[in-house]
Amino acid sequence: MSDLLTAVSILFILVGPLLLVANRLTLPTVPFFVLAGIIGGFFIDPDFVLELAQYGIALLVFTYAVRVDLEAIQTVIVDGEFIAFGQILILGSLGVVFGVALGVAPTEAVYLGIAAALSSTIVGTALLQREINMGLVRGRVAMSLHFVQDLIAIIIVLILGAGAIESDYVATALVAGLALLFLAVFVNRYLFDVIGEISGDSDELMILGVVSLLAVFVVLAEYAGIPIAVGAFAAGLAVRHDPVEYLGLFNGLQSIRDFFVAIFFMTIGALVVLPFVELGWTESIDKLLLVGGLVLLTSVVKPMITTVLLIRRGYEARSATLASINTDQVSEFALIIAIEALLLGALSQSVFDAVILAAAITMVTSSFTQRYDEEIYRALADRGIVTGQHKRIDEWSNVPSELFDHVIVVGYGRQGRKLVETCKDLDYPYVVIENDPARRETVMTNCDAVVIGDAMEQYTWEKAHVNDARLIVSTIDSEPVSRRLLSSSFEADVTLRTDDRTLALDFLEQGALYVSHDDLLAGQRLVQQLQALIDGDLTREELREQQLIELDRHADQTPLHLR
């Protein structure tokens, strides 16, 4: 234990200065975590790193399984199953063929196929957390895809856990693993609230109860002779996903998750064996060929195939592409499988090193592709490489053909609902644009005119009759959507929403009629402004001048330490 603590201490001492550099240059932190691990790998015993990686990944899997909202992803779970199975079948086969072509034994090439096929929930969920929280369809789809992949990965872990496929072991392991998952669902539905009642208002007792729940599932996994990562994943699913009711619990687990995220990326870096530094020329070239092919399959081929499959399922090109870009990394479950296989002698050190290096590279590149995903999509779309269908928009949308001089409300959240109620009270025509699958049934039931589509796509606006609209009101705090509206040649006036005062002023300068700033007005204030504008009691010039005065006054009243 002391050796493990020493290893962790070395890694955190190394990563501190690197994170300061990342923060100073506003760069993604993942590359610096991996770099710290690579440096630390020269000072830490590889056996300790492997042990740390096993426990660290298992605990990290738990913290991410806790965040799985089964109700939120059930609207796209069928698509997730279709895409996940198709992705694993195609990429897995390509990975195996690629490995065999380079002279890797077929039994070991299977692990290359697994590495190419599975994507990282840890990386993907972290990078897409804002999109998931906002209910964007690409966030829902990516979350569903990762969840289904994790379930498939658990089955693979159970099958390959013994290092050899033996019928007796496989049957026992599968039964034990499925039993843990069913137990997790049972606890989630019927017993988890009991922990909350016992804990009362104490967040500390609640966190302790959840940690105890994790310990029980891990012990059950060890008793059944299956990897502890399966027990940790099941324990995470057993926790009721309700960040509102259990706010203190989720805030506490957030800190635990952040700690193990750092451990995860640093251990990946520490496991990397650098070609031409720690290996000879011949061995380095052979390994780089494996790594290069695996990175190509993971970072390029997998997103391409996923995009095609999503578009064939009826998703728009942008949502399909952005969700697919989120799959361009090697999964932590693939690393668990590779570590287990290495320890059991089923995987050679050379192939294992290739998988680890490919994982490190793809996790670093994924942080950059996610940051510039819009630019990547636009580059592909402008060249005609990515073209989508509009099947789902046509099926789910309901817009009267005679709609004219209407208000387009983007987003059916709290403010969106109030705006729709106002339009109904005034008997004024409107259409709602909503992109969250979880709200689809609600908005279709409550609204007279609705378009279920991506506000970044031109077809969505055509469907909403934007050329005949009088006013566009965006109720979502999304800079890309806001800039998309401002850059369009719509004749209708545009009102936007942002929490950033600087952006609010920038949007006004670029032509926005009004910008809803949460520190200045709530949903009711926005409704009042809309009603006054429609009734003619307030002119466009008066509205813009009024907000400029309010923003300036707000800046003067803001304490210096908050500016």
Side-chain angles (χ1 to χ4, degrees):
M1 178 61 73
S2 61
D3 292 327
L4 283 178
L5 292 176
T6 301
V8 172
S9 300
I10 291 173
L11 292 174
F12 274 101
I13 289 172
L14 290 171
V15 80
L18 295 176
L19 290 182
L20 289 175
V21 174
N23 182 65
R24 184 77 173 178
L25 301 177
T26 64
L27 295 173
T29 57
V30 173
F32 293 90
F33 280 124
V34 174
L35 178 58
I38 292 175
I39 298 173
F42 291 100
F43 307 100
I44 304 173
D45 189 323
D47 292 336
F48 294 142
V49 178
L50 278 176
E51 185 177 355
L52 181 62
Q54 283 180 295
Y55 287 100
I57 293 174
L59 293 174
L60 192 54
V61 165
F62 162 73
T63 62
Y64 273 88
V66 165
R67 304 182 70 87
V68 173
D69 185 357
L70 296 178
E71 294 182 0
I73 65 175
Q74 65 182 0
T75 54
V76 292
I77 192 69
V78 175
D79 294 328
E81 293 174 356
F82 174 81
I83 304 303
F85 279 107
Q87 189 186 75
I88 289 175
L89 178 62
I90 297 172
L91 268 298
S93 300
L94 290 175
V96 171
V97 171
F98 166 73
V100 172
L102 289 184
V104 177
T107 54
E108 294 190 55
V110 170
Y111 295 96
L112 293 176
I114 293 172
L118 299 179
S119 304
S120 174
T121 304
I122 293 172
V123 178
T125 305
L127 295 175
L128 265 184
Q129 195 57 56
R130 174 177 170 81
E131 285 73 12
I132 293 171
N133 291 340
M134 290 180 63
L136 298 184
V137 67
R138 61 162 166 151
R140 301 287 196 205
V141 171
M143 189 175 181
S144 171
L145 179 57
H146 286 302
F147 176 68
V148 175
Q149 280 198 353
D150 286 348
L151 294 179
I152 297 173
I154 285 176
I155 295 175
I156 297 174
V157 169
L158 295 173
I159 292 176
L160 301 179
I165 300 179
E166 301 173 357
S167 58
D168 292 341
Y169 168 80
V170 170
T172 303
L174 287 176
V175 169
L178 292 175
L180 281 179
L181 293 177
F182 281 118
L183 177 61
V185 174
F186 178 79
V187 172
N188 182 289
R189 299 294 185 189
Y190 304 107
L191 299 181
F192 187 75
D193 287 337
V194 175
I195 299 177
E197 293 175 1
I198 295 174
S199 301
D201 296 329
S202 174
D203 294 333
E204 291 77 10
L205 285 178
M206 193 69 191
I207 294 174
L208 181 60
V210 169
V211 171
S212 300
L213 187 67
L214 168 64
V216 169
F217 274 88
V218 169
V219 168
L220 289 175
E222 288 189 325
Y223 179 78
I226 59 179
I228 62 172
V230 178
F233 182 80
L237 294 182
V239 177
R240 178 73 57 81
H241 183 86
D242 193 341
V244 176
E245 183 176 356
Y246 301 116
L247 179 61
L249 168 64
F250 278 83
N251 287 338
L253 292 179
Q254 176 71 32
S255 300
I256 297 174
R257 188 199 70 169
D258 292 342
F259 174 78
F260 283 107
V261 164
I263 292 292
F264 170 72
F265 287 119
M266 288 190 289
T267 52
I268 297 303
L271 288 171
V272 168
V273 177
L274 294 174
F276 305 113
V277 176
E278 301 172 84
L279 299 173
W281 277 84
T282 302
E283 190 176 356
S284 295
I285 292 174
D286 292 340
K287 181 173 294 184
L288 287 177
L289 288 174
L290 276 178
V291 172
L294 192 53
V295 169
L296 180 64
L297 288 174
T298 305
S299 299
V300 180
V301 178
K302 181 160 56 177
M304 289 173 55
I305 291 175
T306 307
T307 300
V308 171
L309 292 174
L310 283 171
I311 290 176
R312 288 183 65 84
R313 293 291 292 181
Y315 285 93
E316 297 169 87
R318 178 175 176 271
S319 296
T321 304
L322 298 183
S324 300
I325 289 175
N326 191 250
T327 66
D328 62 347
Q329 69 286 123
V330 175
S331 170
E332 61 277 356
F333 272 107
L335 300 180
I336 292 173
I337 294 168
I339 291 173
E340 291 283 342
L342 177 70
L343 295 175
L344 293 169
L347 187 65
S348 66
Q349 185 68 49
S350 177
V351 176
F352 175 79
D353 291 343
V355 171
I356 292 296
L357 183 54
I361 292 173
T362 57
M363 288 176 180
V364 169
T365 57
S366 184
S367 64
F368 286 98
T369 56
Q370 187 63 32
R371 171 174 286 198
Y372 300 106
D373 56 356
E374 285 287 352
E375 290 80 356
I376 294 172
Y377 166 68
R378 287 299 164 194
L380 295 174
D382 292 344
R383 291 166 175 77
I385 299 175
V386 177
T387 56
Q389 303 177 5
H390 309 298
K391 176 182 177 183
R392 298 205 172 203
I393 294 182
D394 293 333
E395 288 180 353
W396 294 338
S397 301
N398 178 29
V399 182
S401 58
E402 67 277 5
L403 199 64
F404 181 81
D405 198 31
H406 54 289
V407 176
I408 298 178
V409 179
V410 183
Y412 195 64
R414 179 175 58 85
Q415 288 191 3
R417 287 192 294 271
K418 288 185 177 181
L419 290 170
V420 169
E421 291 172 2
T422 300
C423 289
K424 288 182 176 180
D425 293 340
L426 296 173
D427 195 24
Y428 201 87
Y430 69 90
V431 59
V432 175
I433 293 178
E434 179 55 66
N435 194 34
D436 186 354
R439 292 177 178 169
R440 185 176 70 241
E441 293 185 5
T442 301
V443 70
M444 292 175 68
T445 301
N446 297 339
C447 300
D448 300 327
V450 59
V451 175
I452 305 296
D454 188 345
M456 296 289 286
E457 290 290 351
Q458 181 63 31
Y459 186 75
T460 299
W461 295 100
E462 294 175 3
K463 196 75 176 177
H465 298 191
V466 68
N467 292 331
D468 298 323
R470 176 181 177 183
L471 181 65
I472 299 172
V473 183
S474 175
T475 66
I476 59 176
D477 182 9
S478 170
E479 184 177 351
V481 170
S482 297
R483 295 199 181 279
R484 167 74 172 85
L485 291 174
L486 292 174
S487 64
S488 301
S489 57
F490 300 148
E491 294 184 4
D493 290 321
V494 176
T495 75
L496 306 172
R497 176 186 174 189
T498 181
D499 289 337
D500 189 307
R501 175 183 172 276
T502 303
L503 278 180
L505 290 170
D506 185 29
F507 291 159
L508 285 171
E509 291 176 359
Q510 292 186 42
L513 172 64
Y514 196 83
V515 180
S516 171
H517 191 282
D518 287 353
D519 288 341
L520 294 178
L521 68 159
Q524 186 60 40
R525 178 68 179 280
L526 180 59
V527 168
Q528 294 172 355
Q529 300 288 3
L530 174 63
Q531 185 169 348
L533 194 64
I534 291 176
D535 291 342
D537 297 334
L538 192 66
T539 66
R540 298 175 68 257
E541 292 73 17
E542 290 172 343
L543 184 58
R544 287 174 57 84
E545 182 65 24
Q546 191 178 95
Q547 186 175 31
L548 286 170
I549 295 173
E550 288 176 339
L551 286 169
D552 289 337
R553 184 185 301 120
H554 175 70
D556 294 337
Q557 295 173 350
T558 302
L560 289 174
H561 72 280
L562 295 178
R563 295 185 187 177

